[in-house]
Amino acid sequence: MPSAELGSVKSAMRVLDLFEYLRRWNAGQTHARIAAQLGIPKSSLTQLLKTLVCRGYLEYDPVSKGYFLGPAVVALGQRSAETRDLVSIAEDVLADTAHATRETCALNLLKGDVSEVVATASGSHRLHYTMRKGDTAPLYATSGGKALLAHLPEEMRRDYLARVSFEKITPRTIDSVPALEAELAEIARTGIAFVVEEFMPGIVGMARPILGRSGFPLAAVNIALPIARYDAALKRRCLNALEDAVLMLRERAGLG
């Protein structure tokens, strides 16, 4: 293994050792004590601690001169727990949504630059759209993906928009950053994302995000249906069912 790679591995191990050490004692630890207990040279430890404090993974108390686990570590663990809770309870809620609308619905999670279906319930019409666990799609092309993208922290959204490469999946797939930005602003304002034949010809989709306690989009609930059946009355019924689903999922997951 090249020396640079070995150095990166050593740095990663030091960060993990430090987090586990502070978690184990659940109390502030001084620079000198950390260096002695973990065997990290003081010069290397100084820069490591400064970086982690700057990023919010550690907090420093100037009175006791102790370092503690910071809010960024707590946020990582909280978000993971919140997401697991949502997935574990989603199927019953989706079944109720499918029953109320007779249309197919799903719970979608952010997975890099795509959204992934992690739970689904099929519609009861003979003609219905099928979504399966594990299905993925570009964030810009589906209602669930757009609902997630519109509610990402600004830094993450800017990073995505700076590097996104559009594929013209259908003739109606959005294909420019300015057009996507305008649509995301409207989704952020209303809390509802729509697509019409952007990912699949003949299919309409709509979605609402599920936000965690920090405001991060943990998931999105979407409904997908054939455009031949889509009218104002069905649109209202689906939007009401989505709102009910989000409220129920938040309540059952303890998100308030």
Side-chain angles (χ1 to χ4, degrees), residues 98-219:
H99 179 74
T101 61
R102 299 188 65 196
E103 305 295 349
T104 299
C105 54
L107 185 74
N108 308 269
L109 299 186
L110 180 70
K111 189 175 183 179
D113 289 349
V114 301
S115 61
E116 180 181 13
V117 174
V118 294
T120 184
S122 294
S124 56
H125 289 284
R126 286 191 177 183
L127 176 63
H128 66 267
Y129 184 58
T130 299
M131 290 184 281
R132 298 164 298 185
K133 288 183 183 179
D135 284 350
T136 61
L139 294 174
Y140 60 80
T142 65
S143 59
K146 288 181 181 181
L148 292 168
L149 186 55
H151 292 84
L152 285 177
E154 184 178 356
E155 180 182 353
M156 289 182 67
R157 191 168 59 254
R158 284 202 311 265
D159 175 64
Y160 174 85
L161 293 172
R163 55 186 170 74
V164 61
S165 177
F166 296 97
E167 176 189 354
K168 201 70 172 173
I169 302 169
T170 77
R172 302 190 67 167
T173 306
I174 202 164
D175 61 0
S176 76
V177 169
L180 182 57
E181 284 184 309
E183 191 169 340
L184 294 178
E186 179 66 10
I187 294 168
R189 185 184 71 81
T190 64
I192 306 168
F194 292 97
V195 295
V196 179
E197 299 186 294
E198 293 185 45
F199 184 67
M200 183 69 66
I203 299 299
V204 174
M206 59 193 80
R208 286 183 177 272
I210 303 172
L211 306 181
R213 295 181 185 87
S214 67
F216 189 88
L218 302 173

Side-chain angles (χ1 to χ4, degrees), residues 13-80:
M13 291 298 294
R14 283 174 173 172
V15 170
L16 295 176
D17 288 344
L18 175 58
F19 285 171
E20 291 175 355
Y21 175 65
L22 293 177
R23 182 192 63 180
R24 185 164 61 247
W25 286 103
N26 195 30
Q29 301 293 321
T30 66
H31 183 288
R33 184 169 178 81
I34 293 170
Q37 290 295 315
L38 299 183
I40 302 175
K42 289 186 177 180
S43 57
S44 300
L45 181 60
T46 297
Q47 188 56 49
L48 178 62
L49 293 174
K50 284 182 179 179
T51 300
L52 293 173
V53 169
C54 182
R55 297 289 293 271
Y57 289 97
L58 294 183
E59 289 185 327
Y60 176 68
D61 179 9
V63 176
S64 67
K65 294 183 169 48
Y67 291 88
F68 304 79
L69 291 177
V73 173
V74 176
L76 284 176
Q78 183 182 69
R79 187 182 303 166
S80 297

